[in-house]
Amino acid sequence: ELKVEQNPLFLSMQEGKNYTIYCNYSTTSDRLYWYRQDPGKSLESLFVLLSNGAVKQEGRLMASLDTKARLSTLHITAAVHDLSATYFCAVDMKHSGAGSYQLTFGKGTKLSVIP
Amino acid sequence: DAGVTQSPTHLIKTRGQHVTLRCSPISGHKSVSWYQQVLGQGPQFIFQYYEKEERGRGNFPDRFSARQFPNYSSELNVNALLLGDSALYLCASSWTGEETQYFGPGTRLLVL
């Protein structure tokens, strides 16, 4: 059974500081995603990482993937209040049989950026 | 272009009742997936449909069923509701189910 673990689950950081969220997964995966969720809202796709060593950046967020270590990181640079949200990593794996792709999510990291 | 749409946005039911949730995918997308997100947790996979055929089912009881229509919209049905079914139900669409899934706003179900 595929397991996805994120840490930390809660993160309070000051504006202007840097921090990293970690995502470990237990079996080989086809793709890894990072999503953002604001309170009471749906999921917004941030990044999709397809191969070992993949790095993607958008604004103050940078995501990377190490498939050998089964580890992805989401690095936050010079945090601002607008980044406060819950961040999920999700692993996409094709299941045999019907051939469906199923996203398995971590529990999420609730980020609060304090002025 | 409209994104994934879901209806209703909120719903209150009592134990034992039945509920139907609806989803319209992004235009051109032929695959729809359903997820359940309990408060404080990550979403859990329920079903995936592609071209009206069920492609995958998560670890949910038979009280949960779904279908996809010729226009690729989808319904999720839950029978004999339990308190534990209270959650945000998310629908996601993609071209074939093998690419990035785009999520709708969700239906928040409360079972009393």
Side-chain angles (χ1 to χ4, degrees):
Chain A
E1 180 189 345
L2 173 61
K3 292 185 180 179
V4 180
E5 292 186 353
Q6 283 183 242
N7 70 85
L9 297 182
F10 297 92
L11 177 57
S12 180
M13 55 190 299
Q14 284 187 311
E15 280 190 331
K17 298 292 186 183
N18 304 333
Y19 209 84
T20 300
I21 299 170
Y22 297 89
C23 174
N24 289 93
Y25 54 98
S26 59
T27 62
T28 302
S29 163
D30 295 310
R31 286 179 290 259
L32 188 137
Y33 297 84
W34 285 96
Y35 285 90
R36 168 180 172 149
Q37 188 175 40
D38 291 296
K41 303 292 186 183
S42 188
L43 298 167
E44 175 191 354
S45 177
L46 296 174
F47 302 108
V48 52
L49 302 169
L50 301 176
S51 59
N52 188 43
V55 177
K56 290 199 174 178
Q57 183 163 5
E58 180 74 34
R60 301 173 187 274
L61 301 177
M62 183 174 71
S64 65
L65 179 63
D66 180 344
T67 56
K68 294 179 182 176
R70 295 178 187 159
L71 171 69
S72 179
T73 60
L74 181 66
H75 187 73
I76 303 155
T77 301
V80 293
H81 181 68
D82 285 352
L83 290 179
S84 297
T86 299
Y87 293 85
F88 291 96
C89 67
V91 173
D92 194 0
M93 192 171 74
K94 186 170 184 176
H95 289 245
S96 59
S100 69
Y101 277 84
Q102 301 177 13
L103 286 175
T104 302
F105 284 82
K107 290 187 175 181
T109 296
K110 186 172 182 180
L111 172 65
S112 297
V113 181
I114 304 166
Chain B
D1 258 349
V4 177
T5 59
Q6 292 184 243
S7 63
T9 55
H10 296 81
L11 206 48
I12 299 175
K13 293 284 188 178
T14 56
R15 281 179 295 176
Q17 285 189 310
H18 162 90
V19 70
T20 298
L21 310 181
R22 296 178 175 84
C23 170
S24 291
I26 292 170
S27 177
H29 285 189
K30 298 183 178 180
S31 178
V32 169
S33 298
W34 288 94
Y35 292 83
Q36 180 197 62
Q37 186 179 20
V38 173
L39 194 63
Q41 300 292 318
Q44 274 197 291
F45 174 78
I46 311 175
F47 287 108
Q48 185 181 74
Y49 276 78
Y50 173 65
E51 291 279 18
K52 297 172 289 180
E53 298 289 327
E54 181 183 305
R55 236 188 187 177
R57 168 189 280 260
N59 189 22
F60 280 81
D62 292 344
R63 299 184 295 108
F64 288 77
S65 64
R67 54 181 176 166
Q68 187 178 33
F69 299 99
N71 67 354
Y72 304 111
S73 67
S74 177
E75 281 183 356
L76 175 70
N77 295 283
V78 187
N79 292 324
L81 285 166
L82 302 174
L83 296 180
D85 295 331
S86 296
L88 178 67
Y89 288 85
L90 295 164
C91 171
S93 78
S94 63
W95 294 103
T96 67
E98 300 183 6
E99 316 81 9
T100 298
Q101 296 182 34
Y102 295 90
F103 285 81
T107 293
R108 192 164 296 279
L109 172 65
L110 177 61
V111 182
L112 301 175

